[in-house]
Amino acid sequence: MIRWRSWPLFLLPLSLFLAAFTYLPALYNLLEGLPYLQLVLRDAGTWKSLSVTMLYLLISVPASVSLGLATALLTSGASPGRVLARVIFFHPVILPMVAFASIWLYLLNPTSGPLTELLRRSGLLQASPIADPNYTLATLALVSALKDFGLYMLFFLAGLQSIPHELYEAAAIDGASSWAIFRRVTWPLLSPTTFFVVIYAVVTTLRNVDHIWVLTPYGGVAGEAEVLLYRIYLTAFLYSNLPVASALSLVLALLFTIAALVGIPKLERGVYYEDR
Amino acid sequence: MRIVSRPLVLLLNCITICLAVVMLLPGVWIIAASLTPSRFLNQGLLLKSVSLENYFVALESANFLLLYRNSFVYALGLLAAQIPVTLLAAYGMARAPVRAAKLLFYVVLFQFFLPPVALIVPNFILISRFGLTDTLVGIALPYVASATGTLLLRQGIRQIPTELEEAALIDGAGRLQILLRVVAPLVGPYIGAFCLVSFVYHWNEFIWPLVVLSSPEKRVLSVGFASFTRASESGAEWGLIAAGAVLVAAPLVVAFLLAQRFFIESFARTGLKG
Amino acid sequence: MVEELLNNLGRLDAARPITRRELLRTGLGLASSALLLPFLASDVAEAAPALRRDSVSLSFFYPVGVAGPLARIIETYVREFEAQHPGIRVTPVFGGTYAENQAKVIAALKAGNPPDTAILLSTELLTMLSLNAIDPFDPLITGDREAEAMLKDFFPPFLANSMLDGKLWSIPFQRSTPIMYYNKQAFEEAGLDPSRPPTTWDELIEYGRKLTRKDAAGRVIRWGVQIPEETWGIWMLEGLVIQAGDMLWDPASRGCVVKLNSPATVAALEFLKRLKREGVSPPEIVRWGTTPNDFVAGKVAIIYHSTGSLGFVRQNARFPFGTAFQARNIRFGVPTGGANFYIFKGQDPAKRRATWTFIKWMTRPDMVARWSIDSGYVATRRSAWRLKLMQDYVRQYPQALTARDQLAFARPELSVYNRQEVHVAIERAMAEALLERKSITEALRDGQREVDAVLKSLCKR
């Protein structure tokens, strides 16, 4: 690759805004939150929240990413049927989360929700999943996955389109099965997109807490739905305790940083870039 | 030459249809609820009678024309700033020397690590210092440096083999020219995806505009929607909420359908089933 | 070489010259972006609107707590005020829910630019004081005859949460109390007299038993009683504890003592458990937000909810309904609720005077009556109820009287430091007990410990 001396110039505008509106606030949080860091780390509630967060991620991210990939594969193409399917899968993405969650609140209303009725009659569940502490977290994770997967479908579609059709034809001529084509052609060439989608999914899932407010306002009966970000949100807005919220944000940022520094290189090793 | 066998196509189509029907539930419910008068909806009788009264009440409850205008100006104006900034940065990141590129990746990624909640107060203080409270520009500024856009475009650019650019360089083209004429067209779908993501996010964004804006004239759609659907002390007016949600989402659906054509063009070239 | 690559990869766009179509598209894109510029320019310019030299400009942050176009109503009031006071401009700033509005106020405080006045929960007094953000109203009231009369005119329970250290820190505006709503039609079906709602805890259970209906398969299609146990569950618990003879907190403790371990609290929780055990209430945690909907849908016959839901119930119930005092155990009693006007430190005298004028205007008897009728909140001044406007309203909707009459038994709402955090801790304790994950004594003991831990930081004894 030909050396490019002036690349910093291209990064200048971004850096200016990033410094002012991301790093400066980070500094602010550091200064405000550091004195409370010890308090926060000693609090059992923080650790419980962290474990809830892990569990929540483990349910939601695989669900949303695989749904996104599956629907992308199923609906790529130009036929009107495919277009309609894409719109249907995508439409939750454009709804405000509050509205989307409110629908599920209505459907899962413990006393009179139609979905609750269905679950009860089919014998699957006796109480609405949002009223039963054992199922609350999973429900929230799935609601989040259902809302977001349409977006990941879009990302995967963008990634799919840059895979040249000739490769598929060549593989088919060689007699490869559909599964082999997927494994050997689609999946590797899609990996840069997958890499992005997984990271984006983790980050977005952790940042979407509006539905928790709608479905289980105080983070669940025993804090079983209090994802760390939600705890920060409650601390900042409900308890008006900004310094502790900053401290919790530091914990979250630290966690993310560690996870990123460890996980991302591992992930990226599996990614196949054309430009290497 | 079929790439995917017929029975498999049939099965996959069935699955697609089933999934689509399930996903249709929320959307259909919202539309049905918005068309059902509140008094029936609260009995659980969806569509017992069909009327537009929820829409009339919603339209009366807030100045939707103003709200649409403000949200549109905000989201589109922000996008107009984000695209050049992120495109430049993504190209810089994708083509910088390896070690620098790795560092840059994490520097940009860091934006995701801080919860938005933690950013509200310090950014608000900053915006106040600039005298930009109660302005749409004030809401937009913190978002111009979009990590989502930068990283997404970076991924797209890295999917392009460098030979094209090297050939152009040899032909004497400048990096900026190459970005605009060679690289950017090739990452069109990624740009399109980002446009959609950014527009939708900022169209629906609530808490930051709520904090920054004050005057009713500056109110954005999400805040306007909240002004008549929040009911923390009383029961929720589902019909009104549904109608409001449809009014909020409708422009987005239109935008998506229009943008769809852009996606179709690209997707028509490939796709598993051809 | 490049053509070869391109052919192999099937890409064809990169190196060809820009077509006219592309040029057009780009041009269109740029032109439409350029159209935004005047908006953006005016957007920034409008941030500092020009004023008459001698006029005062105020900002007023308000939350909306009940469903309906309340934001528009407030804006209408503000415009009327401005028309009557040409030298004062008020910007009404919608702040979202109580919590969101509070967050907005605090963000403004941190940025060094607090609003001139804001409507915040009456129980947020200690939070505001600990932020050193507010001023008392006493300097404004002494010597102002109108104001002194106003103070005597407010129902005393509504002032209870505003007083601390002998000073008055907030003026009541949108206030409520929890009441009982009951389905008269269901009463008749069950052979009960629709003009005689239950008045004691035991009667509530008895009535509940008669009102609960099951289908052929034994599944409940209508519950007898629903008392919410989450979101505002603490508010409901406070009521029960008052009815059992005590209070959930100690008003004399200056925001530092919550009494979870008292016999009255135990009695309250035992009552809620009994409702569930007898099959009169749903076994899961009863939700606040959906209970009025359940009521108007006929899925429950008696509910406890805010008087703020009266408008909602009235509009949506397809059956005659009644309102009544919450049932008594040892005595009748409920906590008050809702929000008041606060004023902020650091205001210049001209703005302070103008703000005071505004607040007095918004709390005039006729405005109080109008606001009550428009919003469903309780009219906070005695004289407001005597106005013809109000009397006509009450004649049409006698249910509106219940909340006012119940005021005779109303107590101040739980107001402690870190109030919300304490709320969440208590609610979790409640849930553990009600879902039978812990015994009542255990849950309350653990809850008390948590609450004390939360209070410790600001309550060093």
Side-chain angles (χ1 to χ4, degrees), chain A residues 191-206:
Chain A
S191 51
T193 312
T194 315
F195 176 67
F196 175 79
V197 171
V198 169
I199 296 181
Y200 188 80
V202 170
V203 175
T204 313
T205 307
L206 286 182

Side-chain angles (χ1 to χ4, degrees), chain C residues 32-337:
Chain C
S32 36
S33 309
L35 279 176
L36 288 170
L37 285 174
F39 283 122
L40 293 171
S42 72
D43 171 61
V44 178
E46 273 164 23
L51 289 173
R52 279 176 33 182
R53 222 162 20 99
D54 54 343
S55 66
V56 174
S57 178
L58 303 175
S59 59
F60 160 49
F61 289 10
Y62 67 94
V64 170
V66 300
L70 263 58
R72 281 219 143 164
I73 293 175
I74 296 265
E75 284 166 24
T76 315
Y77 293 173
V78 165
R79 263 176 268 134
E80 266 184 52
F81 171 79
E82 286 180 332
Q84 293 176 23
H85 297 85
I88 310 181
R89 264 201 67 194
V90 179
T91 307
V93 180
F94 167 65
T97 60
Y98 289 127
E100 288 156 0
N101 192 46
Q102 172 127 342
K104 192 171 162 60
V105 167
I106 292 183
L109 277 166
K110 296 264 165 179
N113 192 16
D116 293 294
T117 179
I119 295 185
L120 300 166
L121 286 172
S122 62
T123 48
E124 288 298 353
L125 175 58
L126 288 169
T127 311
M128 288 293 124
L129 281 175
S130 60
L131 287 169
N132 199 21
I134 54 178
D135 275 335
F137 280 86
D138 305 84
L140 292 167
I141 294 181
T142 32
D144 184 338
R145 286 270 200 83
E146 190 192 348
E148 285 170 4
M150 168 176 81
L151 221 54
K152 297 209 187 78
D153 195 22
F154 281 120
F155 290 105
F158 286 145
L159 286 170
N161 280 109
S162 311
M163 307 287 305
L164 193 67
D165 299 335
K167 302 209 193 98
L168 182 75
W169 295 93
S170 61
I171 304 272
F173 183 61
Q174 53 192 56
R175 304 304 299 267
S176 55
T177 63
I179 59 177
M180 177 197 302
Y181 295 83
Y182 64 98
N183 183 336
K184 287 189 172 171
Q185 191 175 49
F187 268 40
E188 281 179 11
E189 287 171 14
L192 295 162
D193 181 355
S195 62
R196 284 204 62 243
T199 49
T200 67
W201 282 13
D202 287 328
E203 272 181 15
L204 196 58
I205 297 199
E206 196 194 307
Y207 279 53
R209 263 192 240 122
K210 296 209 180 104
L211 290 160
T212 307
R213 281 252 228 93
K214 300 198 175 144
D215 66 8
R219 272 192 297 260
V220 177
I221 53 174
R222 184 176 67 209
W223 293 99
V225 178
Q226 259 178 230
I227 299 181
E229 293 151 355
E230 58 87 57
T231 305
W232 291 100
I234 307 305
W235 207 35
M236 300 289 102
L237 184 66
E238 280 191 79
L240 293 172
V241 173
I242 296 174
Q243 291 148 24
D246 201 342
M247 279 180 76
L248 194 55
W249 64 300
D250 181 2
S253 69
R254 225 181 166 283
C256 287
V257 171
V258 173
K259 302 196 286 193
L260 272 187
N261 271 330
S262 69
T265 315
V266 173
L269 280 177
E270 279 180 352
F271 178 62
L272 287 172
K273 274 184 92 165
R274 209 177 131 204
L275 284 169
K276 293 185 192 293
R277 218 169 35 231
E278 305 252 358
V280 159
S281 283
E284 64 265 354
I285 298 290
V286 178
R287 298 184 66 104
W288 172 270
T290 50
T291 290
N293 300 72
D294 293 338
F295 180 71
V296 300
K299 299 278 170 68
V300 56
I302 302 178
I303 62 170
Y304 278 11
H305 218 262
S306 169
T307 179
S309 298
L310 186 57
F312 174 84
V313 172
R314 198 170 57 216
Q315 269 176 321
N316 290 295
R318 300 280 94 201
F319 46 81
F321 72 97
T323 55
F325 289 7
Q326 290 198 350
R328 70 178 159 83
N329 185 8
I330 296 179
R331 58 181 180 181
F332 286 115
V334 281
T336 57

Side-chain angles (χ1 to χ4, degrees), chain B residues 160-245:
Chain B
I160 303 172
T162 54
E163 288 85 357
L164 292 170
E165 297 156 60
E166 288 181 1
L169 279 171
I170 291 172
D171 284 347
R175 282 289 183 174
L176 192 59
Q177 267 184 298
I178 293 178
L179 174 61
L180 292 177
R181 295 193 46 178
V182 177
V183 176
L186 291 174
V187 289
Y190 288 89
I191 299 182
F194 173 63
C195 284
L196 209 53
V197 172
S198 174
F199 195 80
V200 168
Y201 179 79
H202 294 288
W203 186 263
N204 287 327
E205 182 190 12
F206 176 70
I207 200 81
W208 173 241
L210 180 77
V211 169
V212 174
L213 298 173
S214 298
S215 342
E217 302 83 45
K218 293 294 173 73
R219 210 172 279 166
V220 291
L221 195 59
S222 49
V223 177
F225 173 67
S227 73
F228 64 91
T229 54
R230 288 296 219 250
S232 56
E233 261 197 83
S234 74
E237 292 273 10
W238 293 117
L240 190 60
I241 294 177

